[in-house]
């Protein structure tokens, strides 16, 4: 293959992975806003914990699919793994759509099944996209840069999803049903079907760097690398932070009686917009970081953003909910200035900090793994279950002690990430052969 063909194939592969990045966020971020609908059904009695169960099921799938997904990369390659994931995603969204037909708790259980199936899909897609972009970029700062650019599209989808669901739902009552957001589910199924067809015709070759096949001999495992093992824990707590901050914030704003902050109009729409703004800032952060990631190391980024995020959360916890500010909010038909707690605004700003964490942790944890990269990716995907576990714990605390107290959960997680960036990310196992 000549150099021009290689460059062309590499470019096509990068574009395809960027699109998959957006699909991952679109499907994942359906859980929290749809959870607002379910928690207000009479059968769930307004429980934040039960409202977050769809999110939990979505991420619980990672625990079961993470390792198998990593093995799929080795056995059938990146493209076939992506196609299988897209097909599974279509089925998962279809099941969520069907959950609108049964009555009462039966529909809720069907919805949870659909969320679980979608979790298998996004786990497989994540297993493909992260190592492939890192390897296509040649690792190091350039690999991190490609993941950050892909993360920009991921954040765009994450921004639009809760806003769209919130605008369709408006004010949530006991009569609000999943059928009210059928448009979003139709879009999701169409995107999956279209992506499957398009990707089928795109020639994507597996990257050569770090490539492993069924004939590759593995003398060790990714667990033998200390920085990888600590990075696995980092992925677990990071995803819990990323999902827990906006997910709980959506509940906080949507629950007008809890906010006590003069939130006006359609609470679900406002809550969706505020949560969407967090993802919008993640988009901004990733977009900006994409230009500087080849000059600023992942470690420096992690130290900086972990520290800033901890300060923002601590101040948000300390502020009274009566301390308010105004921000522009789309109420379903127009934009209006709506009063929200200052603490909500500070939590939204955390999106700028979390924007660079996923790519940075993945980059730091896989640096120098060589042939163990695919296996490590599967382990990382398994630990994405943290995006279900930590928000569930956070919302259990929110039910018992209040929304702001619950934010000590992401605060503690960020403290660990700061430790990892300062000390834990150093590769002390360079004596292990990786070729």
């Amino acid at each position: 293959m000549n150099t021009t063909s290689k460059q062309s194939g590499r470019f096509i592969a990068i574009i395809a992975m960027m699109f998959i990045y957006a699909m991952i966020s679109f499907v994942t971020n359906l859980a929290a806003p749809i959870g607002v609908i379910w928690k207000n059904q009479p059968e769930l009695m307004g429980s934040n914990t039960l409202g977050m169960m769809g999110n939990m099921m979505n991420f619980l799938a990672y625990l079961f699919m993470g390792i198998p997904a990593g093995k799929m990369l080795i056995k059938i390659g990146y493209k076939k793994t992506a196609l299988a994931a897209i097909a599974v995603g279509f089925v998962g969204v279809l099941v969520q759509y069907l959950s609108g037909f049964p009555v009462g708790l039966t529909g809720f259980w069907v919805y949870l099944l659909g969320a679980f199936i979608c979790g298998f899909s996004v786990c497989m897609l994540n297993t493909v996209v992260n190592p492939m972009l890192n390897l296509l970029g040649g690792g190091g700062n350039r690999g991190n840069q490609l993941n950050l650019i892909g993360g920009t599209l991921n954040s765009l989808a994450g921004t639009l999803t809760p806003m769209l669901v919130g605008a369709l739902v408006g004010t949530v009552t006991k009569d609000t049903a999943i059928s009210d957001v059928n448009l979003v589910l139709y879009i999701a199924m169409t995107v999956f079907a279209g992506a499957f067809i398009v990707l089928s015709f795109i020639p994507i070759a597996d990257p050569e760097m770090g490539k492993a096949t069924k004939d590759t001999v593995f003398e060790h495992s990714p667990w033998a690398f200390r920085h990888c093992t600590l990075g696995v824990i980092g992925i677990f707590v990071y995803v819990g932070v990323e999902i827990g901050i906006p997910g709980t914030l959506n509940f906080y704003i949507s629950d007008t009686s809890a906010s006590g902050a003069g939130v006006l109009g359609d609470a679900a729409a406002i809550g969706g917009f505020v949560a969407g703004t967090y993802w919008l800032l993640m988009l901004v952060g990733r977009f900006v970081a994409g230009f500087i990631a080849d000059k600023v190391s992942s470690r420096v980024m992690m130290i900086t953003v972990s520290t800033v995020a901890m300060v923002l959360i601590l101040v948000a916890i300390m502020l009274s909910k009566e301390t308010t500010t105004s921000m522009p909010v789309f109420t379903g038909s127009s934009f209006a200035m709506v009063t929200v707690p200052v603490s909500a605004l500070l939590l939204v700003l955390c999106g700028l900090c979390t924007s660079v964490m996923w790519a940075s942790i993945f980059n730091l944890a896989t640096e120098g793994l060589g042939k163990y990269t695919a296996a490590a990716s599967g382990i990382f995907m398994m630990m994405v279950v943290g995006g279900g576990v930590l928000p569930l714990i956070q919302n259990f605390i929110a039910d018992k002690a209040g929304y702001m107290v619950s934010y000590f959960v992401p605060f503690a997680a960020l403290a660990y990430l700061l430790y990892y960036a300062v000390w834990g990310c150093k590769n002390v196992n360079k004596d292990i052969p990786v070729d």
Side-chain angles (χ1 to χ4, degrees):
M1 183 181 292
N2 58 46
T3 303
T4 302
S5 297
K6 285 185 177 180
Q7 289 295 327
S8 177
R10 179 175 172 274
F11 179 75
I12 291 173
I14 290 174
I15 295 299
M17 294 305 105
M18 297 294 182
F19 182 71
I20 288 175
Y21 239 129
M23 292 177 63
I24 290 169
S25 184
F26 184 80
V27 175
T28 300
N29 285 284
L30 284 175
I34 291 180
V36 174
I37 298 175
W38 280 112
K39 85 160 194 167
N40 283 281
Q41 300 304 299
E43 294 83 2
L44 271 63
M45 299 179 291
S47 170
N48 288 307
T49 305
L50 291 176
M52 193 59 75
M53 278 302 297
N55 180 76
M56 175 62 188
M57 295 302 291
N58 194 291
F59 283 96
L60 182 62
Y62 282 84
L63 188 61
F64 296 94
M65 195 61 200
I67 299 297
K71 292 181 178 179
M72 286 178 68
L73 292 184
I74 297 174
K75 291 183 178 180
I76 66 175
Y78 284 73
K79 180 176 176 177
K80 289 182 179 179
T81 301
L83 288 173
I86 292 170
V88 171
F90 180 90
V91 173
V93 176
L94 177 62
V95 173
Q96 290 189 62
Y97 165 74
L98 295 176
S99 72
F101 293 97
V103 179
L105 284 176
T106 302
F108 181 63
W109 289 114
V110 174
Y111 159 69
L112 293 182
L113 175 62
F116 188 65
I117 295 172
C118 279
F120 280 104
S121 171
V122 292
C123 176
M124 295 161 69
L125 289 174
N126 262 316
T127 307
V128 171
V129 70
N130 290 283
M132 189 160 189
L133 281 177
N134 194 48
L135 295 174
L136 285 170
N141 288 354
R142 177 59 178 166
N144 188 38
Q145 185 178 38
L146 286 181
N147 267 304
L148 284 169
I149 295 172
T152 301
L153 295 178
N154 181 277
S155 297
L156 177 61
T159 301
L160 297 177
T161 304
M163 290 184 183
L164 180 57
V165 174
L168 288 173
V169 173
T171 301
V172 177
T173 69
K174 64 181 180 63
D175 298 318
T176 306
I178 290 296
S179 58
D180 292 329
V181 294
N182 276 350
L183 176 61
V184 180
L185 300 179
Y186 292 150
I187 292 173
M189 286 187 282
T190 302
V191 168
F192 272 118
F196 186 90
I197 295 172
V198 172
L199 192 61
S200 297
F201 291 98
I202 295 178
I204 298 178
D206 289 357
E208 293 297 325
M209 177 184 169
K211 185 176 181 179
T213 69
K214 60 183 180 180
D215 298 320
T216 302
V217 177
F218 297 96
E219 300 88 353
H220 300 276
S221 78
W223 296 108
F225 298 83
R226 192 196 71 168
H227 73 293
C228 179
T229 300
L230 295 178
V232 167
I233 300 173
I235 288 291
F236 178 88
V237 299
Y238 159 68
V239 183
V241 171
E242 180 192 86
I243 301 299
I245 291 177
T248 305
L249 186 58
N250 196 350
F251 285 179
Y252 178 48
I253 299 299
S254 298
D255 188 352
T256 54
S257 62
S259 69
V263 176
L264 305 175
D266 295 335
I270 295 168
F273 185 88
V274 173
T277 304
Y278 168 93
W279 293 102
L280 177 63
L281 291 181
M282 285 193 69
L283 183 156
V284 173
R286 285 169 170 170
F287 182 77
V288 173
F291 288 100
I292 65 173
D294 58 338
K295 302 178 181 66
V296 180
S297 71
S298 302
R299 182 169 179 265
V300 170
M301 283 189 184
M302 280 297 298
I303 292 173
T304 303
V305 297
S306 297
T307 302
V308 173
M310 289 174 67
V311 172
L312 289 172
I313 289 180
L314 190 60
V315 175
I317 293 172
M318 296 171 61
L319 286 175
S320 167
K321 64 183 179 184
E322 280 75 31
T323 306
T324 62
T325 188
S326 296
M327 65 182 294
V329 167
F330 185 64
T331 61
S333 57
S334 62
F335 282 92
M337 295 300 294
V338 176
T339 302
V340 297
V342 173
S343 56
L345 185 60
L346 293 174
L347 293 172
V348 165
L349 289 174
C350 288
L352 289 171
C353 301
T354 56
S355 64
V356 302
M357 289 184 177
W358 172 273
S360 296
I361 296 170
F362 190 91
N363 182 256
L364 289 171
T366 59
E367 192 69 26
L369 293 190
K371 64 184 178 182
Y372 298 102
T373 299
S377 180
I379 296 172
F380 293 143
M381 291 310 106
M382 182 177 70
M383 287 295 101
V384 172
V385 69
V389 175
L390 266 66
L392 196 65
I393 295 172
Q394 185 177 348
N395 279 273
F396 177 79
I397 295 174
D399 280 334
K400 302 297 181 181
Y403 286 103
M404 286 301 105
V405 174
S406 75
Y407 276 93
F408 277 112
V409 174
F411 180 84
L414 286 165
Y416 173 81
L417 293 177
L418 179 60
Y419 155 76
Y420 180 69
V422 176
W423 294 289
C425 67
K426 298 176 182 178
N427 185 0
V428 297
N429 303 105
K430 294 182 179 180
D431 56 319
I432 300 176
V434 296
D435 298 324

